Amino acid sequence: MTNISDEQARRMTEAHLHMPQGVAENYRYWGEEQTVFVDHVQGCRLTDCDGKEYVDFRLGYGPIILGYRDSRVDAAVIKAITELGTISGFSTPMDVEVVKRVKSLCPNIDKMRFANSGTEAVMGALRTARGFTGRNRVVIVEGGFHGLTDEMMWKSDVEGWDASSGTTPDIIPFGAGIPASTRDLVDFIPLNDSEALTQLFSEKGDQIAAVLLEPIMGNCGSIAATPAWMQELRDTCTQHGSMLIIDEVKTGFRVAKGGAQELYGIHADLTTYAKAMGNGYPVACFGGRAEVMDVIGAGGGVVHGGTYTANLVALSAANATVDILANTDALATVERVGAAIRDVLGRVFTAAGIEHRFAGPAAMFGIHFGDNVPTNYRDWKSTDSDLYTAFAWQLIEHGVMLEPDSREPWFICESHRDVDLGWLEDVATKSMKIAMEAS
Ligand SMILES: Cc1ncc(COP(=O)(O)O)c(C=O)c1O
């Protein structure tokens, strides 16, 4: 962003006095001049503290599926907290009501438990898988992201990898403070790589508690597993007695009513949901086969709990959101509007002579500059992500908010139906022209 306002500089200086990096969590730091301070949000729009309005395709990393401040969801939450209360540390009738709603859309869930974030949901699912199998190792797919617990904070260093070296990328921690011992619990394979899958299971199959993946990688440009590879993965897990955990934190209640598993027709043993489940309210869950989930319990069983678990802010938001998604055409609108937006962008790229490919469903699509849809994270390296980043910064400058990193997809919500596509085409055309001149 250019022309930083005096106010922005003042806000940043003050924030540095009180928070590391001047932000409430690491991923919000975009640089001294670029870090966004939001005044308010509404529908698909965000207004920053300088009064500048953006059409938002980042949507807080994906939880907004209907629109910001959806009055139907907000009314349900206000009713719950004013008439019932927020928290008691006891069961409420709404617990089962929400589980039944989730089960009506997600036939892979027999039994379920709640959590407050995707990180917590993954933690619960992993512990359950370990409790059920009596094994410790977890297989992660390169480019996936599964929250901030220590063992999930290891990644394949594709950014620092020389693709022509003939070596595989190093596995590195996301940052400081991650005990090296947690590295020993995780193995990595590339998405869609049958050979790597077979080899890993032939070496360590009897130690693998679970394979944990996003079949449509919401943290890697929506690069998707092929249906054939997903079936192979399902069969391999079954054959070796390992749990298949599908992390639907981003895809759940977004890419289809029944999430990615509805699109693939593949059932996980355990699944995690969060984000779109509550349209921005902090609610999450994990669940799966009854036999597996029933290892949770007292007397030597798996421990799951927490003070804020299934609080009524979270549950009332999920109750209303899942009801709306189940009983209205909201997701059909998201799909239709997302496809129209993708068409606009495709026209802009074609007019500019840029080879491009889209990945993933219209509700959460990735853009890759190059002549192939990447099939895994290593492939992503051959796309022109620098051009994408330059284009994204220009879009932001011109009032379109998104993550300036092609690994983060474009998120669509029902409120995007109000977006003027002619305006978007003009802005994208202008932004691409400037990005290309600069590169
Ligand atoms: C697939 C996936 N799993 C887990 C998480 C962690 O969720 P949270 O940020 O709610 O802890 C994320 C966050 O983006 C995610 O995309």
Side-chain angles (χ1 to χ4, degrees):
M1 255 168 276
T2 52
N3 303 326
I4 176 174
S5 71
D6 291 347
E7 266 305 292
Q8 168 76 7
R10 188 201 58 74
R11 281 187 292 264
M12 206 63 222
T13 304
E14 186 186 27
H16 273 295
L17 295 177
H18 304 292
M19 292 181 286
Q21 271 186 309
V23 286
E25 62 111 27
N26 283 26
Y27 296 100
R28 288 176 205 177
Y29 183 76
W30 280 12
E32 291 303 293
E33 300 187 358
Q34 295 88 349
T35 294
V36 180
F37 286 79
V38 172
D39 183 72
H40 65 275
V41 289
Q42 177 70 63
C44 64
R45 292 182 167 77
L46 176 160
T47 304
D48 74 13
C49 287
D50 290 324
K52 179 171 172 177
E53 190 178 271
Y54 301 84
V55 171
D56 187 6
F57 292 102
R58 180 171 169 275
L59 298 180
Y61 292 116
I64 305 302
I65 189 69
L66 301 170
Y68 286 118
R69 293 163 63 193
D70 183 274
S71 57
R72 299 161 292 183
V73 180
D74 288 354
V77 174
I78 290 164
K79 187 171 162 51
I81 65 176
T82 53
E83 294 180 11
L84 305 176
T86 57
I87 194 165
S88 64
F90 286 114
S91 293
T92 74
M94 214 184 284
D95 304 358
V96 165
E97 197 179 332
V98 179
V99 176
K100 282 175 44 192
R101 273 201 206 285
V102 170
K103 286 177 65 170
S104 73
L105 297 186
C106 308
N108 49 310
I109 304 290
D110 297 331
K111 291 194 174 180
M112 191 181 114
R113 280 284 180 93
F114 290 98
N116 297 297
S117 65
T119 296
E120 250 191 50
V122 170
M123 248 171 73
L126 273 179
R127 186 176 296 163
T128 304
R130 286 175 168 145
F132 183 74
T133 59
R135 304 171 182 174
N136 282 338
R137 302 197 74 80
V138 177
V139 181
I140 305 174
V141 168
E142 291 178 358
F145 179 77
H146 305 287
L148 288 102
T149 55
D150 288 347
E151 64 185 323
M152 292 298 117
M153 289 269 97
W154 292 92
K155 64 178 176 182
S156 175
D157 184 21
V158 165
E159 275 169 287
W161 172 61
D162 174 2
S164 63
S165 65
T167 60
T168 56
D170 291 337
I171 304 300
I172 60 168
F174 274 71
I178 312 296
S181 58
T182 58
R183 165 70 186 91
D184 297 336
L185 295 169
V186 285
D187 294 294
F188 286 80
I189 53 170
L191 190 73
N192 292 317
D193 190 330
S194 301
E195 208 179 305
L197 176 67
T198 310
Q199 189 178 336
L200 181 61
F201 268 87
S202 69
E203 286 167 13
K204 300 182 183 166
D206 60 352
Q207 302 166 49
I208 294 172
V211 177
L212 169 64
L213 86 161
E214 309 168 80
I216 301 164
M217 293 205 284
N219 295 282
C220 198
S222 281
I223 297 170
T226 64
W229 191 78
M230 278 308 289
Q231 188 60 57
E232 214 177 306
L233 177 62
R234 174 66 278 180
D235 295 343
T236 305
C237 287
T238 305
Q239 187 193 335
H240 290 268
S242 306
M243 299 291 96
L244 175 59
I245 307 178
I246 298 195
D247 186 348
E248 299 238 32
V249 162
K250 277 189 169 169
T251 51
F253 306 102
R254 168 172 288 283
V255 301
K257 288 181 182 181
Q261 288 169 78
E262 180 180 319
L263 300 182
Y264 281 90
I266 290 213
H267 285 194
D269 299 295
L270 291 164
T271 304
T272 54
Y273 297 105
K275 307 220 181 206
M277 180 181 177
N279 194 49
Y281 285 90
V283 59
C285 67
F286 65 98
R289 284 166 46 205
E291 181 198 9
V292 180
M293 286 298 287
D294 278 338
V295 300
I296 298 174
V302 163
V303 177
H304 161 257
T307 304
Y308 295 109
T309 303
N311 69 77
L312 289 185
V313 174
L315 288 203
S316 56
N319 210 11
T321 305
V322 179
D323 181 24
I324 293 165
L325 295 177
N327 297 308
T328 72
D329 60 1
L331 281 188
T333 302
V334 167
E335 186 70 23
R336 176 176 54 75
V337 171
I341 288 167
R342 223 168 36 185
D343 287 349
V344 164
L345 294 170
R347 269 203 305 279
V348 170
F349 302 149
T350 302
I354 294 166
E355 281 285 358
H356 60 278
R357 297 290 182 272
F358 293 102
M364 186 185 109
F365 62 85
I367 298 173
H368 302 281
F369 292 145
D371 51 12
N372 281 309
V373 184
T375 57
N376 58 39
Y377 187 23
R378 296 182 196 182
D379 273 2
W380 169 84
K381 181 117 188 176
S382 64
T383 66
D384 191 347
S385 59
D386 289 343
L387 177 61
Y388 180 89
T389 297
F391 170 59
W393 278 119
Q394 284 306 318
L395 286 176
I396 294 168
E397 183 72 27
H398 290 94
V400 173
M401 184 54 75
L402 73 170
E403 193 78 6
D405 182 331
S406 69
R407 286 168 292 191
E408 188 70 11
W410 286 49
F411 288 102
I412 309 298
C413 69
E414 192 183 21
S415 291
H416 277 122
R417 66 184 162 202
D418 300 338
V419 172
D420 177 344
L421 295 181
W423 168 83
L424 182 63
E425 188 156 352
D426 283 350
V427 162
T429 302
K430 229 183 290 175
S431 299
M432 184 50 90
K433 188 165 178 287
I434 301 171
M436 289 174 77
E437 281 165 4
S439 65

